[in-house]
Amino acid sequence: MDVSEVVLESGLQLSYAERGDPSGPTVMLLPGPTDSWLSYRQFIGSLPMSIRAIAVSQRGHGDSTKPPSGYRVEDFAADIPPLLAALHIERAVLAGHSGSCLVARRVALDRPELVSGLVLEASPTTLRDHDGLKRFVQETVADLEDPIDHHLARSVIADTSSDAVRPELVDQLVEELLKVPARAWKEMFAGLLEYDDVEDLNRLAAPTVLVWGDADTIVPRSMQDELARSIPEAALLVYHGVGHTPRWEVPSRFAADVTAFVERVSRS
């Protein structure tokens, strides 16, 4: 696995990890809020070398540039077309997790010619005015200051994973989360409370697979059913006994499903 950086025309530098055949079909992996590319390390290693996998630390995350502002869904989505161009990728499957599924969907809506498919892992429909997120913002994010508290970082990772996640991976994820500045947390989560693309979902032309664990305590089954009804070419895969982050809990199974999906859309 190669770790590198790319500088976009805007001057923004993004850190990413890459593995696989540069001439093969591409899947670009967009980690959820506060996660970096490292959250996909184990998953990338489970993919066949015939697939070009690129995991990106989005702006404000990991070792990528941390501008003073620009952490809304639309800002993250606007970075993807120039990133694909910089890496000489004409079309890719975009895979998002949790809040970053909204980013992947935004790219597919705005630039459908760039997106060959969508993998939406634990995707919400919308988080606009979501009671749980509002409470998290009011009680935790609103008063955040740098440096981010280590105990808070560990609790966020614990709330989005399970006991099946290896302790050493949890430690790495915590260290990556601590790199996200307080200003990014505040604008990012405020943006998630405002963003809503539900009325546009029927315009999504890309084949889509929804992956959801029925032990997910953050994103409910009702959201998956609504997405499956609203997105024209969507299929829902339910992982029994799995929580909010299937790729951490069952990386081999998730990799097999993503591989099958990428290979199918690359043939169409």
Side-chain angles (χ1 to χ4, degrees):
M1 184 184 306
D2 297 322
V3 181
S4 188
E5 297 83 30
V6 61
V7 179
L8 307 186
E9 290 183 356
S10 64
L12 191 76
Q13 178 175 293
L14 298 181
S15 174
Y16 69 95
E18 179 173 358
R19 180 178 180 272
D21 184 353
S23 65
T26 300
V27 57
M28 180 165 283
L29 309 163
L30 308 178
T34 72
D35 285 333
S36 73
W37 74 258
L38 187 139
S39 69
Y40 281 100
R41 173 183 279 172
Q42 184 176 3
F43 167 71
I44 289 179
S46 300
L47 292 175
M49 291 296 290
S50 58
I51 291 177
R52 183 184 186 186
I54 299 172
V56 182
S57 293
Q58 299 184 87
R59 58 167 62 208
H61 294 70
D63 295 323
S64 292
T65 302
K66 299 170 177 62
S69 62
Y71 297 105
R72 307 273 169 158
V73 170
E74 297 86 347
D75 299 314
F76 292 119
D79 291 335
I80 303 305
L83 174 60
L84 291 170
L87 297 177
H88 308 290
I89 299 168
E90 294 184 359
R91 282 168 61 82
V93 170
L94 296 185
H97 173 244
S98 192
S100 285
C101 291
L102 306 180
V103 176
R105 282 158 33 187
R106 187 72 260 160
V107 178
L109 286 166
D110 293 342
R111 297 294 304 275
E113 75 280 7
L114 300 177
V115 181
S116 57
L118 290 170
V119 176
L120 305 180
E121 178 191 7
S123 177
T125 47
T126 179
L127 293 170
R128 176 179 281 183
D129 297 327
H130 185 276
D131 288 340
L133 183 58
K134 282 198 291 187
R135 187 164 53 251
F136 175 68
V137 169
Q138 293 166 356
E139 297 177 358
T140 303
V141 178
D143 296 325
L144 272 184
E145 296 182 355
D146 294 319
I148 303 300
D149 181 74
H150 191 278
H151 295 291
L152 168 64
R154 185 165 288 276
S155 71
V156 169
I157 298 299
D159 289 344
T160 55
S161 60
S162 76
D163 294 339
V165 181
R166 294 178 290 107
E168 58 268 28
L169 174 58
V170 172
D171 291 342
Q172 293 172 339
L173 295 169
V174 168
E175 292 305 313
E176 290 294 286
L177 186 147
L178 291 171
K179 297 177 181 180
V180 183
R183 64 181 182 276
W185 284 67
K186 293 176 180 179
E187 187 176 347
M188 179 165 49
F189 286 107
L192 289 173
L193 282 172
E194 296 173 356
Y195 184 80
D196 188 352
D197 66 0
V198 170
E199 292 186 358
D200 295 325
L201 292 178
N202 62 359
R203 294 197 294 109
L204 283 172
T208 301
V209 62
L210 306 164
V211 179
W212 178 77
D214 65 4
D216 192 334
T217 59
I218 298 174
V219 175
R221 172 64 185 260
S222 60
M223 287 189 172
Q224 306 310 297
D225 292 337
E226 182 177 353
L227 288 169
R229 288 192 303 268
S230 301
I231 300 173
E233 292 192 58
L236 172 60
L237 300 180
V238 176
Y239 289 13
H240 297 293
V242 173
H244 186 61
T245 314
R247 71 179 186 278
W248 293 351
E249 298 182 44
V250 284
S252 296
R253 179 180 177 184
F254 187 66
D257 286 331
V258 171
T259 297
F261 178 73
V262 171
E263 290 177 344
R264 177 171 66 83
V265 300
S266 69
R267 293 192 297 267
S268 61

